[in-house]
Amino acid sequence: MFPFTNYHDAVFRQTNEFIQEIEQAINGEYSAIECYTRLANLASSKKEREQILEIREDEVRHYQQFVHLYQRLTGRPPKPKIVEECPNSYLKGLMFAIEDEQKTVDFYMEIADKATDPMIQGAFRRAAADEQNHAVWFLYFFQKENHRGNAPIG
């Protein structure tokens, strides 16, 4: 199935579905990196911009970890692509980020639960915890924007 020649054969012999899920995670992180760059530029304060850029750095780290895992499992680099378009307004972008981060937490926990390798489990559990933290920050910024008098988005 995959060209492994040592004990990793048993550990990393995963289904195509598992490989596709890691690929989906890579694409999601790749999309988030682009989106959060845009959101940081739209942020209404320096503090928010800096926090969004810090979140973006977490996404870069996740992306790099997932690319590494993908390459170990497949022997080839992924071909990342933007899979979600980021809204052009700050408020809509924050709402999008909140929902996306929350969905991602569940997705990463499912991957961690399926994984048999402790390194993969750890990487996805840590990423899930980071994503939950990101959702809280985005929710905080969203609430602040609404308090400034911006109408809620429905």
Side-chain angles (χ1 to χ4, degrees):
M1 181 184 251
F2 298 109
F4 296 113
T5 58
N6 53 31
Y7 82 97
H8 292 292
D9 278 0
V11 175
F12 288 110
R13 191 166 305 201
Q14 303 291 337
T15 64
N16 284 336
E17 179 183 338
F18 188 69
I19 300 295
Q20 289 171 351
E21 288 173 340
I22 293 175
E23 199 168 34
Q24 185 178 341
I26 288 168
N27 290 336
E29 295 295 338
Y30 187 75
S31 299
I33 292 165
E34 185 277 327
C35 185
Y36 299 164
T37 301
R38 184 181 301 178
L39 275 182
N41 289 329
L42 296 170
S44 48
S45 75
K46 181 181 179 192
K47 182 180 176 185
E48 288 180 26
R49 182 171 26 267
E50 288 172 353
Q51 184 60 50
I52 293 169
L53 290 174
E54 187 177 309
I55 290 169
R56 183 189 174 280
E57 286 305 308
D58 287 347
E59 305 297 8
V60 168
R61 192 180 71 253
H62 300 160
Y63 172 80
Q64 291 169 341
Q65 289 174 331
F66 299 161
V67 164
H68 177 74
L69 291 173
Y70 182 88
Q71 288 177 311
R72 284 183 62 194
L73 292 169
T74 66
R76 66 184 191 287
K79 295 177 182 169
K81 58 185 176 232
I82 301 290
V83 291
E84 300 170 308
E85 287 302 317
C86 188
N88 287 320
S89 81
Y90 189 52
L91 202 58
K92 286 181 183 177
L94 290 172
M95 179 176 257
F96 172 82
I98 294 164
E99 292 174 7
D100 186 62
E101 295 286 334
Q102 285 296 107
K103 288 180 206 167
T104 302
V105 170
D106 292 336
F107 180 58
Y108 287 177
M109 290 304 292
E110 288 172 14
I111 292 173
D113 289 344
K114 286 183 204 176
T116 57
D117 181 282
M119 188 180 86
I120 294 173
Q121 289 173 339
F124 277 96
R125 284 199 176 108
R126 173 57 204 232
D130 288 346
E131 302 297 326
Q132 185 66 60
N133 187 43
H134 300 164
V136 171
W137 275 111
F138 287 129
L139 179 60
Y140 171 67
F141 297 149
F142 182 79
Q143 293 291 42
K144 278 179 58 176
E145 284 297 305
N146 275 332
H147 247 35
R148 286 188 181 125
N150 292 314
I153 298 173

